[in-house]
Amino acid sequence: MTLAKVKEETDMNTVYDTAVDSRTQEMNSIKQTSNAIFQAKDFNLWYGNNHALQDINLDFNENEISAIIGPSGCGKSTFIKSLNRMVELVPIVRTEGDIVYRDQSIFDKSSTVENLRTKVGMVFQKPNPFPKSIYDNVAYGARVHGIRNKKVLDQVVEKSLKGAAIWEEVKDRLNDNAYGLSGGQQQRICIARALAIEPDVILMDEPTSALDPISTTKVEDLMHELKKDYSIIIVTHNMQQAARISDRTAFFYQGYVVEYDKTNVIFDKPKDQRTEDYVSGRFG
Amino acid sequence: MELINKEQVSKKLSGRLMVNKVMKFIFLLCTLVGLVVLATLLIDTILDGWRYLTVDFFTNFSSSRPDNAGIRGAIIGTLWLMATTAPIAIILSVGTALYLEEYAPKNKLVDFVKINISNLAGVPSVVFGLLGLTLFVRMAGLGNSVLAAALTMSLMILPVIVVASQEAIRSVPGSIREASIGMGATKWQTITRIILPASIPGIITGIILALSRAIGETAPLVIIGIPTILLFTPTGVLDTFSALPMQIFSWVKLPNPEFQSITAAAILVLLFILFLMNSVAIYIRNKYSKRF
């Protein structure tokens, strides 16, 4: 508990620093400072012979929402799954180059992939709760990491469900199976589940593509709230969504990053013709 | 210009409906053939054997005198056999299924092994009996003991449970697997906390169906030389024993017509146990089957 508090305080300081940083930074356009949480450096990825990601160089900032947009098959999901090394579940994957998370390569042998995934949580495209109770779903991460104390688990569950803005809806039926909830509620349970391990970064792979508009709005509002405490990287098919919620947007096309800039720049005055065509709906 | 002649279509309609009806009857007939034969068999067995289903029948050992003949040795032997076979078979086959589905690398060799496990399920039980005779009875020196028979039976039902477990494990959606791994859970944690709980109904159904095959199997027991007339019950896995199917097999060969009825009674007991096991399997499948 004390450790968590200390962590929280340091996080708060970082938030403050970042706010100051980002103001000076805005004047320097997108020149990167050390507050990048993730840096892709000449990152390449192949599925067998298919060169899916080519020379990706991207820096993602702390306490921002970074959106990745692009047409189907452009590699955006592959890229976000590379950040927590989930892409390696596909056996034929091969990578080159590097991805740095807080000044350490994620491929560094001195740290384990489990450790990385504890710090970098993920919310998936389709709501995928476990066939367990709501409580057990949210407590899963904590339990996996060895927390057995019922009181601590209770607190983790409550805090995470509140953090995912679904506490009021489910607090009276925590022992019900999560499958009984609506799709939108299930997705917020999944977000709560990701928050429960107190990650540093949350990756979201098209989190609202299976949801109706009202649920989508709820999840988007939630992301605005989460931004204060977490850094979010989101893949989205929905350009309006990227425009609404993100601070920075990367446009992926055929495995390349075509353009990466502040979201308003990408949408209002993109430098590249392909970006302009895509965001104005001429293809994709 | 119409490509479809409406008149022709309506003319042919009655013919199509006729074929429809005829086919329905043919399939009904196919079903009835099986049902009637099985029902006749069952009714005949019940009529023949029910008179012998007395308390004495369950408490007496086998005897050459029909009035004294009972299945005590056989039924206790069968229970010993099942109690020994089940843990061996379950550990070996669920372990195999978990390795093949979760840990094994995806390559041609593993695919080859997977295909051959399914083929193994089709190997005749006599062959497994010969394997057991060579391997466990002779080479390992276990003799015609409970353990030797249980190991043989385990090998025989192993592929059945492996295949059922593999299917159950495969039916757990990848999405919840990813969710678990994505939170930093190890593979083993994902298996024990997510995959096994979700696939246990399918695995248990497979186990029970496989065990109910083992309980009625006679050929391997004949081959490894399990005695039929035994006047004691085993006290350990290294003792010899008799089993229900063996008892049935030996009684049915006797010339005394009264033994035919006693055989029928023993068959009824065996069928009842099978029926019970299958009911449990169906109950578990229905109760715990989950939709993803």
Side-chain angles (χ1 to χ4, degrees):
Chain A
M1 282 306 285
T2 19
L3 262 179
K5 237 176 210 167
V6 171
K7 182 183 174 288
E8 219 164 81
E9 273 169 28
T10 21
D11 281 353
M12 285 310 289
N13 289 336
T14 344
V15 171
Y16 178 72
D17 291 345
T18 322
V20 178
D21 269 3
S22 60
R23 229 172 297 150
T24 41
Q25 203 199 347
E26 267 171 34
M27 286 179 254
N28 302 341
S29 181
I30 53 163
K31 190 193 161 202
Q32 293 306 325
T33 50
S34 61
N35 69 343
I37 39 156
F38 264 114
Q39 294 171 290
K41 295 177 176 170
D42 296 322
F43 186 69
N44 283 273
L45 184 144
W46 290 263
Y47 289 115
N49 291 323
N50 176 15
H51 198 172
L53 292 175
Q54 309 184 21
D55 300 322
I56 307 289
N57 282 290
L58 278 179
D59 289 8
F60 294 114
N61 291 345
E62 196 165 18
N63 297 103
E64 282 193 352
I65 299 180
S66 311
I68 301 174
I69 60 170
S72 297
C74 68
K76 55 193 190 306
S77 277
T78 300
F79 179 70
I80 200 172
K81 282 183 179 155
S82 303
L83 296 179
N84 65 348
R85 296 179 60 185
M86 288 292 281
V87 76
E88 292 170 20
L89 294 182
V90 182
I92 51 167
V93 156
R94 191 164 56 85
T95 62
E96 253 174 37
D98 203 2
I99 295 176
V100 174
Y101 163 70
R102 289 201 184 274
D103 302 325
Q104 192 189 15
S105 165
I106 62 169
F107 303 107
D108 197 331
K109 292 274 189 298
S110 66
S111 181
T112 61
V113 65
E114 283 80 11
N115 192 26
L116 173 72
R117 289 171 189 159
T118 308
K119 291 179 186 143
V120 183
M122 188 158 203
V123 176
F124 297 82
Q125 189 167 353
K126 260 174 62 187
N128 56 351
F130 300 127
K132 295 172 181 281
S133 71
I134 294 169
Y135 185 98
D136 288 344
N137 259 284
V138 181
Y140 183 81
R143 282 182 173 144
V144 160
H145 293 105
I147 295 164
R148 293 224 176 75
N149 187 331
K150 180 84 172 103
K151 270 191 192 143
V152 176
L153 286 176
D154 286 349
Q155 285 171 345
V156 165
V157 169
E158 183 172 342
K159 184 178 159 218
S160 310
L161 286 170
K162 279 180 176 160
I166 193 172
W167 171 250
E168 288 303 320
E169 288 161 67
V170 299
K171 65 180 177 190
D172 299 322
R173 43 174 176 151
L174 291 177
N175 291 320
D176 289 6
N177 196 306
Y179 276 61
L181 300 172
S182 75
Q185 287 173 323
Q186 285 185 10
Q187 192 63 308
R188 279 180 287 148
I189 291 291
C190 293
I191 294 173
R193 190 174 61 183
L195 296 182
I197 51 172
E198 300 183 345
D200 180 27
V201 185
I202 303 173
L203 307 176
M204 295 185 167
D205 188 1
E206 300 189 40
T208 60
S209 67
L211 305 184
D212 64 90
I214 293 169
S215 305
T216 300
T217 312
K218 281 190 179 161
V219 172
E220 285 183 10
D221 291 346
L222 173 59
M223 285 163 68
H224 267 297
E225 286 299 311
L226 293 176
K227 194 173 115 173
K228 293 173 197 148
D229 302 316
Y230 306 90
S231 312
I232 298 175
I233 301 172
I234 177 176
V235 162
T236 178
H237 224 90
N238 179 333
M239 279 176 283
Q240 285 74 32
Q241 182 170 57
R244 276 195 300 267
I245 60 171
S246 68
D247 300 292
R248 267 163 221 279
T249 300
F251 173 58
F252 273 54
Y253 185 60
Q254 294 182 343
Y256 293 96
V257 178
V258 173
E259 201 168 343
Y260 177 50
D261 212 322
K262 289 208 211 77
T263 297
N264 54 4
V265 176
I266 292 281
F267 282 90
D268 295 340
K269 32 185 190 313
K271 295 183 188 75
D272 195 288
Q273 186 60 39
R274 287 169 296 180
T275 315
E276 179 161 5
D277 288 350
Y278 184 72
V279 296
S280 58
R282 245 167 262 158
F283 79 98
Chain B
M1 180 64 195
E2 284 183 7
L3 290 172
I4 294 168
N5 187 333
K6 296 269 157 58
E7 212 170 303
Q8 287 271 328
V9 169
S10 60
K11 250 190 225 163
K12 279 188 178 158
L13 185 61
S14 60
R16 282 161 49 204
L17 288 175
M18 192 62 174
V19 172
N20 194 30
K21 261 184 199 155
V22 169
M23 291 319 284
K24 179 182 149 190
F25 273 108
I26 290 175
F27 295 136
L28 178 65
L29 215 63
C30 294
T31 314
L32 280 179
V33 169
L35 276 183
V36 168
V37 171
L38 282 178
T40 316
L41 207 65
L42 193 63
I43 290 166
D44 186 53
T45 314
I46 291 172
L47 288 179
D48 206 9
W50 72 270
R51 284 174 292 123
Y52 287 86
L53 288 175
T54 58
V55 177
D56 282 351
F57 183 67
F58 289 94
T59 54
N60 284 359
F61 282 107
S62 182
S63 164
S64 53
R65 297 218 318 274
D67 292 340
N68 286 344
I71 54 167
R72 178 169 170 195
I75 206 161
I76 290 176
T78 288
L79 290 179
W80 268 94
L81 179 60
M82 285 302 110
T84 320
T85 305
I88 299 173
I90 291 169
I91 291 169
L92 285 180
S93 36
V94 176
T96 307
L98 279 174
Y99 179 76
L100 287 178
E101 289 303 314
E102 296 295 325
Y103 291 98
K106 305 271 176 291
N107 58 33
K108 290 234 164 69
L109 181 69
V110 174
D111 285 344
F112 181 75
V113 170
K114 282 185 185 173
I115 291 168
N116 279 286
I117 284 176
S118 320
N119 287 343
L120 220 54
V123 172
S125 51
V126 175
V127 178
F128 280 106
L130 287 169
L131 180 75
L133 180 67
T134 323
L135 214 61
F136 306 126
V137 179
R138 300 263 165 79
M139 278 173 74
L142 294 172
N144 51 5
S145 63
V146 174
L147 187 59
L151 286 169
T152 311
M153 286 292 190
S154 302
L155 275 190
M156 191 188 76
I157 61 175
L158 187 110
V160 181
I161 309 181
V162 171
V163 171
S165 306
Q166 275 182 298
E167 266 162 30
I169 291 166
R170 230 177 290 146
S171 75
V172 178
S175 63
I176 64 172
R177 218 176 285 242
E178 284 182 356
S180 172
I181 292 170
M183 274 188 286
T186 62
K187 189 158 241 175
W188 174 239
Q189 286 176 321
T190 306
I191 288 173
T192 49
R193 289 157 196 252
I194 302 297
I195 294 172
L196 277 183
S199 58
I200 212 79
I203 294 177
I204 289 181
T205 310
I207 289 170
I208 294 175
L209 292 180
L211 285 178
S212 60
R213 180 181 164 198
I215 206 171
E217 199 60 71
T218 325
L221 298 180
V222 173
I223 303 236
I224 63 178
I226 299 304
T228 51
I229 295 177
L230 207 60
L231 299 180
F232 61 87
T233 51
T235 52
V237 289
L238 292 175
D239 287 353
T240 189
F241 70 108
S242 190
L244 266 178
M246 283 303 289
Q247 191 71 75
I248 292 167
F249 180 65
S250 69
W251 276 339
V252 83
K253 290 187 296 188
L254 295 177
N256 187 339
E258 230 176 310
F259 270 108
Q260 304 305 314
S261 305
I262 294 174
T263 309
I267 289 172
L268 286 179
V269 174
L270 187 59
L271 280 181
F272 180 74
I273 296 174
L274 278 174
F275 177 75
L276 216 63
M277 290 176 78
N278 283 320
S279 310
V280 172
I282 291 168
Y283 175 77
I284 289 172
R285 188 165 50 207
N286 291 346
K287 177 145 192 226
Y288 295 102
S289 68
K290 290 196 181 77
R291 301 272 165 272
F292 291 103

